[in-house]
Amino acid sequence: MSNFPPQEIYARNLLSSHRGYPLWTPEPNIELPESYQQEGLKIGDVGVVVPEDGSFDVFFNITLPREHPLHAPDGVPCNFTQVKLRREDYKIVPDAVDPGRVFSSSGVECTVSCVDPFDLNGKSRILTDHQFSLCQNEGAVLILPEGAERHRLAKELLLLDVVIQNAVDWYRFAREQLYRNIRNDAIYLVTGFHKANSWSLASFKNTEASSARCKLVQLTNGGPVVTSPSTWETLRPLEWRIGPRHSVGIQNQCVFITGFKIAVNEELLHLKRVTVKVDHSKRTLASRLVGFGASLANILVGEGTSEETHTPRTATQDEAGDQLTLEHGERAGGLEHVTVERVPHAAQLFHPSDIINRYLLVKEPSAIIAVTHDSQWITLLEKGILKPEEFLQEGRLDFSDFLALEYVH
């Protein structure tokens, strides 16, 4: 039975749409400048998919000048240089997704009907009823009542050299200036997306065959269709979201993204670690956590020493001169050497490109970075080399058989 959060189940199950990486939270980040929120994500955005809510956290944009409001107050990475793109470098498909399109995972059957059309104050209102049959243990659904448009960078390789030259600086900026606790394969450079006016999405897990329904009210007065969110109905566990809360008729809701996923050799990022000697002569919570190697503290307990004397609260310094002091507690035996990672474990949602990048870094230990574009695993899906159900394996994927096809840069 799956223990993944709803945002991970949603992403895993909708990768088969071939549209890119699905975002559980398509709305623009309200902490960004208001002008940036109005448009939503942009090509050239550098950031990460947030594991807690499936949104996209924008750090900076490589196509905008250093003094742009987006880059205040945290600034930009060292050696930042704006990449100036021309209008013809962008490709936009206004009707890339037809209105009313439903994306769903395998085993989800959908029936759509329009019921109860009525007139209110000269405005036509139509209630659209989506009924779903859920036949798998887990799955996902995305409804786009008003369709979506697609934006992409026509010459994606224009940015590849920028990634190669600056990836390490980007990670250091994220960790040391923005204080983001991210893994060494988390950063994304956006080169395309699908944006919608409105959406309704859901994911489910650990459920027997059941049904669900979503009702959406569409309002029009002879102009553009505006969708008014309603609700989902189900007797089975179902996580769902409908948005935006306040429709403004602008396609700024990013439902899919595509781009370069970037991994950096961890040794280049100089994660700070300290080695301490722990005295187990006292009983405290800290010592019990250390003694049992608690994963929440992200500590690695090494071999015990043969020293006879106990020296409480001692620590050795790392190369940067940082010192860590721990309370110690009672445990049989003498001192133990404990290595503590200063940065706690960083969560991350599943992404096919991460598996490719990790494989490359293991295959070539001397490599500095590994870069994979979403189009590469999408191509594997389209050609049938990779099956959608393989994304659902809890043990993750093994791309070693596919890499010989040279889809990966």
Side-chain angles (χ1 to χ4, degrees):
M1 297 176 67
S2 172
N3 293 318
F4 297 126
Q7 57 270 28
E8 172 134 349
I9 294 173
Y10 177 76
R12 280 175 176 264
N13 281 274
L14 282 192
L15 290 170
S16 58
S17 68
H18 302 178
R19 301 284 177 159
Y21 191 82
L23 293 180
W24 177 256
T25 303
E27 305 98 314
N29 187 339
I30 61 174
E31 296 180 358
L32 296 177
E34 185 174 350
S35 60
Y36 216 78
Q37 294 180 45
Q38 292 176 356
E39 186 175 342
L41 285 182
K42 301 178 187 291
I43 288 175
D45 279 342
V46 176
V48 298
V49 177
V50 180
E52 289 77 14
D53 63 8
S55 64
F56 193 87
D57 182 12
V58 180
F59 298 164
F60 57 92
N61 186 295
I62 63 173
T63 70
L64 299 177
R66 181 185 297 266
E67 61 275 10
H68 190 276
L70 174 67
H71 299 150
D74 298 307
V76 293
C78 64
N79 302 316
F80 175 87
T81 301
Q82 179 187 3
V83 177
K84 296 182 179 180
L85 298 176
R86 303 167 300 174
R87 180 178 295 273
E88 53 266 31
D89 292 328
Y90 299 92
K91 297 296 182 183
I92 301 175
V93 182
D95 301 315
V97 178
D98 293 332
R101 176 69 183 273
V102 176
F103 294 97
S104 62
S105 56
S106 174
V108 176
E109 300 176 0
C110 177
T111 302
V112 183
S113 59
C114 294
V115 296
D116 298 333
F118 58 94
D119 184 85
L120 180 65
N121 298 328
K123 296 182 180 181
S124 176
R125 300 171 67 92
I126 300 175
L127 176 63
T128 305
D129 189 3
H130 298 75
Q131 299 193 46
F132 298 95
S133 175
L134 312 178
C135 304
Q136 297 289 345
N137 184 55
E138 68 173 55
V141 173
L142 169 64
I143 306 172
L144 297 177
E146 301 165 65
E149 65 180 22
R150 181 189 182 191
H151 294 232
R152 69 180 182 89
L153 185 62
K155 300 177 181 179
E156 293 160 343
L157 294 182
L158 284 174
L159 301 185
L160 184 57
D161 285 342
V162 178
V163 172
I164 294 173
Q165 294 171 13
N166 296 279
V168 175
D169 288 336
W170 293 353
Y171 272 95
R172 289 176 178 162
F173 174 76
R175 288 181 170 183
E176 298 172 11
Q177 290 184 241
L178 302 182
Y179 300 101
R180 298 297 201 275
N181 179 27
I182 60 173
R183 289 190 346 194
N184 66 313
D185 58 355
I187 287 185
Y188 224 131
L189 168 58
V190 176
T191 64
F193 43 72
H194 283 70
K195 285 183 178 178
N197 284 41
S198 60
W199 46 268
S200 182
L201 54 85
S203 71
F204 62 91
K205 65 177 180 178
N206 302 338
T207 180
E208 300 175 356
S210 60
S211 62
R213 66 191 305 179
C214 177
K215 296 180 180 180
L216 299 171
V217 177
Q218 292 186 317
L219 171 66
T220 179
N221 57 354
V225 175
V226 177
T227 300
S228 176
S230 183
T231 186
W232 284 78
E233 301 174 0
T234 180
L235 297 177
R236 296 290 183 178
L238 185 76
E239 298 284 346
W240 55 270
R241 303 188 69 244
I242 295 180
R245 292 184 178 180
H246 306 288
S247 178
V248 292
I250 299 176
Q251 289 183 313
N252 65 353
Q253 307 289 300
C254 194
V255 290
F256 294 103
I257 60 173
T258 55
F260 289 108
K261 203 73 195 296
I262 308 160
V264 174
N265 191 315
E266 190 69 84
E267 297 300 321
L268 296 174
L269 299 180
H270 305 300
L271 274 184
K272 296 178 180 178
R273 298 186 180 188
V274 293
T275 300
V276 300
K277 291 183 178 181
V278 180
D279 179 10
H280 294 292
S281 62
K282 299 179 181 178
R283 182 179 296 275
T284 65
L285 175 60
S287 71
R288 294 201 301 275
L289 290 175
V290 171
F292 287 104
S295 60
L296 289 178
N298 201 23
I299 58 178
L300 306 173
V301 179
E303 297 180 356
T305 70
S306 58
E307 298 180 42
E308 295 292 331
T309 58
H310 293 177
T311 309
R313 299 178 180 272
T314 63
T316 61
Q317 293 184 332
D318 63 10
E319 294 181 357
D322 293 296
Q323 187 169 3
L324 178 66
T325 302
L326 294 180
E327 291 186 8
H328 313 302
E330 182 180 3
R331 186 182 178 188
L335 294 174
E336 291 185 5
H337 292 287
V338 179
T339 300
V340 181
E341 293 187 10
R342 282 190 164 274
V343 180
H345 173 72
Q348 188 159 303
L349 297 180
F350 172 82
H351 196 295
S353 297
D354 294 343
I355 300 171
I356 300 176
N357 286 340
R358 286 197 294 269
Y359 175 87
L360 293 175
L361 290 177
V362 170
K363 191 73 174 177
E364 297 292 337
S366 62
I368 298 175
I369 68 169
V371 184
T372 300
H373 195 274
D374 289 325
S375 60
Q376 294 164 325
W377 57 263
I378 292 174
T379 299
L380 294 176
L381 281 172
E382 291 174 341
K383 293 187 175 183
I385 299 172
L386 185 63
K387 304 299 182 183
E389 55 268 23
E390 294 182 85
F391 290 138
L392 309 181
Q393 299 173 1
E394 295 199 22
R396 307 292 171 107
L397 295 172
D398 180 2
F399 276 88
S400 57
D401 293 336
F402 307 135
L403 295 179
L405 299 176
E406 297 183 356
Y407 286 122
V408 183
H409 293 292

